[in-house]
Amino acid sequence: MSAQQDFRQFIQGEWVESPKTRANINPSDPTEIVGVAAEASIEQVDQAVLAAQAALPSWSRSTPQQRFDVLDFIGTEILARKQELGTLLAREEGKILPEAIGEVARAAYIFKFFAGEALRIGGQAIASVRPNMEVITSREAVGVVGLITPWNFPIAIPAWKAAPALACGNTVVLKPSELTPGCAWALAEIISRSGLPKGAFNLVMGDGVAGKALVEHPAINAISFTGSTGTGKLIAQHCALTMKKYQLEMGGKNPLVILDDADLNIAVECAVNGAFFSTGQRCTASSRTIITAGIYDAFKSAILERTRGLKVGAAIEASSQIGPVVDQRQLDKNLGYIAIGVAEGGNLLVGGERLPGTGYFFSPALIENHNPNARLNQEEVFGPVSTLVKAQNFEEALQIANATPYGLSAGICTTSLKYATQFRRDMQAGMIMVNAPTAGVDYHVPFGGSKASSYGPREQGGMAMEFYTRVKTHYLA
Ligand code: NAD
């Protein structure tokens, strides 16, 4: 490892430095530099894409056994090192250590899941309408795939894109978030020893400039993006015009509905976990809690007490329940939204303050605002901030829950089978939780949303293979 650049890029099987660097800061203590990361030049993005293009003929013709062996190796090593990699994750991103270790284990199981999927890629034999004709479909790699990822799941998201991409025989250029290069580097380092041919997996670091260069490179065949809806729209415009395949996972304004008949303890735990755990920095976080009138007061006093008791602190402190916000910019954004929430008539019940300490510590906030059109009920904050919204009955709660541009995840707490069933049917979201927090999803099933939250084929689970393959239809006379 270079003394100057701890997190170097991986291009054509080589570790590559860059003339430009960026310090990777620990949000629990910004005076601590986790490492110095390379920052790609446009030429280095070009080199990475060309390396992936050169590796495509061999990797796309690799056998399912070769792909299984590579992915299984990666998953096994990640799992064995979950404590160490979880510590790196907690230091660079700020989620508390148990959550960080959980995310690393999730990344490992994702690689193992897709190792199995590599063995299952198949096609169909379909009876022809013509005599003496056989029709068969097969699936092929899409080609060179650019993966662009956010900072909030810095190892799981690169894993859930890279693993299915490689399982399907694609070659890859990963561009992780500039805020979390460490986990991406650690993943690349494991991949570099997995037996994958040179150039089949490349890592470039940097911000949106590198991301844009990757998206716009003519040798890129597909882009899988996770991040904000604003960036997603820019990527969509370019990919649509140049006819690249693309897939976007973006923001959310996820509702948790609490009905009069809910178990109060379950409801409070779902709301607190969904809104505040991982510092609310989850695309699936429930940032609106919609409560029917009969349980409103009891729920409000119970969640207030529970929220006041949450311990905010350094990510690696055993006593911390909520870690710091990722950086100063996100902290300012959270504080700005608290000010907006109060200015538009919201009642700040608890939290919403910068806490003492060198880290970017912010107290989890609850704001009461019954106007579904308030900005705080419409716009994604991406922090530990949730509104309480009163609804008269189930029908009104459902209507409010659906009244945003987003549709990623949604939850309901109820003991009524009738309302749970109706919610599952009528809620416009990709993931529905009944008596469970909106976040916390299985690694082997489809993940994604609707409306402005997602575009394109689903990620994760068996369905991920849809994006990373093309179908060919063969006629044999
Ligand atoms: P972001 O859009 O700022 O950045 C995401 C990635 O895109 C980063 O790697 C960034 O460098 C890159 N990028 C920025 N501008 C670009 C451009 N013009 N062209 C190409 N790439 C560019 O998002 P963020 O702040 O890193 O992440 C937070 C957002 O991610 C939130 O909105 C959150 O909801 C969303 N998110 C969604 C999911 C999901 O699965 N739906 C999961 C996690 C996070």
Side-chain angles (χ1 to χ4, degrees):
M1 206 194 302
S2 153
Q4 286 166 339
Q5 296 185 14
D6 307 294
F7 306 132
R8 287 181 289 173
Q9 308 179 94
F10 190 59
I11 300 173
Q12 177 64 12
E14 305 291 336
W15 293 103
V16 178
E17 297 202 345
S18 174
K20 259 180 86 184
T21 59
R22 183 187 291 259
N24 183 9
I25 302 293
N26 179 349
S28 298
D29 177 5
T31 62
E32 190 204 334
I33 294 179
V34 179
V36 173
E39 195 155 77
S41 62
I42 303 293
E43 292 72 34
Q44 287 176 326
V45 175
D46 180 55
Q47 286 161 10
V49 176
L50 295 181
Q53 191 182 37
L56 187 62
S58 88
W59 184 247
S60 63
R61 287 187 206 117
S62 58
T63 64
Q65 186 64 50
Q66 285 171 306
R67 298 179 196 177
F68 174 93
D69 289 343
V70 163
L71 295 175
D72 189 54
F73 172 94
I74 299 166
T76 301
E77 179 158 337
I78 294 174
L79 198 57
R81 292 172 54 195
K82 66 179 180 177
Q83 183 80 28
E84 169 211 342
L85 296 173
T87 305
L88 171 65
L89 199 165
R91 282 174 66 221
E92 75 170 350
E93 197 269 350
K95 65 182 62 165
I96 58 169
L97 195 55
E99 290 174 336
I101 293 170
E103 180 183 335
V104 172
R106 179 190 176 96
Y109 291 126
I110 286 169
F111 273 100
K112 286 178 168 286
F113 174 82
F114 284 108
E117 286 298 280
L119 301 174
R120 276 187 281 270
I121 297 172
Q124 275 182 304
I126 305 169
S128 173
V129 291
R130 289 180 272 168
N132 302 319
M133 183 71 83
E134 266 185 63
V135 183
I136 295 168
T137 65
S138 63
R139 286 191 178 266
E140 298 179 346
V142 176
V144 179
V145 184
L147 310 178
I148 299 179
T149 56
W151 46 266
N152 67 324
F153 283 95
I155 194 160
I157 297 181
W160 81 53
K161 293 184 190 298
L166 294 171
C168 294
N170 300 281
T171 56
V172 165
V173 179
L174 166 65
K175 206 297 287 170
S177 168
E178 59 275 25
L179 296 183
T180 50
C183 285
W185 171 84
L187 176 62
E189 200 281 321
I190 294 170
I191 292 176
S192 75
R193 294 181 281 101
S194 67
L196 198 65
K198 274 183 197 274
F201 175 91
N202 304 273
L203 171 70
V204 292
M205 309 287 202
D207 59 14
V209 176
K212 186 168 183 289
L214 183 60
V215 171
E216 294 182 358
H217 198 292
I220 284 284
N221 301 110
I223 289 285
S224 180
F225 167 80
T226 300
S228 62
T229 302
T231 308
K233 282 182 180 169
L234 292 175
I235 291 173
Q237 278 174 1
H238 178 83
C239 289
L241 282 176
T242 53
M243 299 200 197
K244 288 170 181 156
K245 197 171 182 184
Y246 64 103
Q247 169 186 61
L248 312 169
E249 282 301 336
M250 301 167 287
K253 192 72 200 172
N254 311 294
L256 175 69
V257 168
I258 312 245
L259 297 186
D260 287 356
D261 63 17
D263 178 305
L264 189 60
N265 291 330
I266 290 176
V268 169
E269 283 316 302
C270 287
V272 166
N273 176 320
F276 302 141
F277 285 13
S278 301
T279 321
Q281 297 175 150
R282 297 187 283 199
C283 52
T284 51
S286 49
S287 52
R288 297 179 292 149
T289 316
I290 304 163
I291 310 125
T292 49
I295 198 172
Y296 188 88
D297 290 340
F299 176 81
K300 179 175 154 183
S301 65
I303 193 169
L304 270 176
E305 194 190 327
R306 178 81 170 84
T307 304
R308 283 196 192 101
L310 290 172
K311 169 97 175 61
V312 179
I316 55 166
E317 279 295 328
S319 61
S320 299
Q321 292 172 298
I322 311 281
V325 170
V326 72
D327 67 358
Q328 183 68 49
R329 200 179 55 123
Q330 185 63 46
L331 181 64
D332 292 342
K333 188 177 172 197
N334 295 355
L335 292 166
Y337 265 108
I338 296 296
I340 289 168
V342 171
E344 66 184 351
N347 177 18
L348 179 61
L349 299 170
V350 63
E353 290 171 340
R354 169 80 150 103
L355 294 172
T358 45
Y360 303 122
F361 299 118
F362 173 85
S363 50
L366 288 170
I367 294 197
E368 196 172 37
N369 189 333
H370 307 312
N371 174 6
N373 298 320
R375 284 184 63 186
L376 221 54
N377 280 325
Q378 289 291 322
E379 298 173 18
E380 183 184 53
V381 179
F382 215 55
V385 178
S386 181
T387 54
L388 299 190
V389 186
K390 194 188 281 187
Q392 286 317 308
N393 50 35
F394 169 77
E395 286 72 21
E396 192 188 17
L398 177 65
Q399 190 254 323
I400 294 170
N402 273 324
T404 75
Y406 295 106
L408 189 57
S409 178
I412 188 165
C413 291
T414 179
T415 49
S416 156
L417 182 60
K418 174 183 149 189
Y419 288 133
T421 306
Q422 209 171 325
F423 187 79
R424 287 168 49 218
R425 187 191 62 198
D426 295 339
M427 186 64 221
Q428 297 155 8
M431 292 171 289
I432 306 288
M433 307 291 193
V434 178
N435 296 317
T438 54
V441 290
D442 285 9
Y443 65 83
H444 67 306
V445 300
F447 176 98
S450 59
K451 294 157 75 179
S453 292
S454 299
Y455 186 87
R458 279 281 182 269
E459 296 203 83
Q460 300 193 63
M463 278 191 175
M465 310 311 258
E466 193 60 42
F467 179 73
Y468 292 103
T469 54
R470 286 186 217 285
V471 172
K472 190 177 268 177
T473 309
H474 312 253
Y475 292 85
L476 293 84

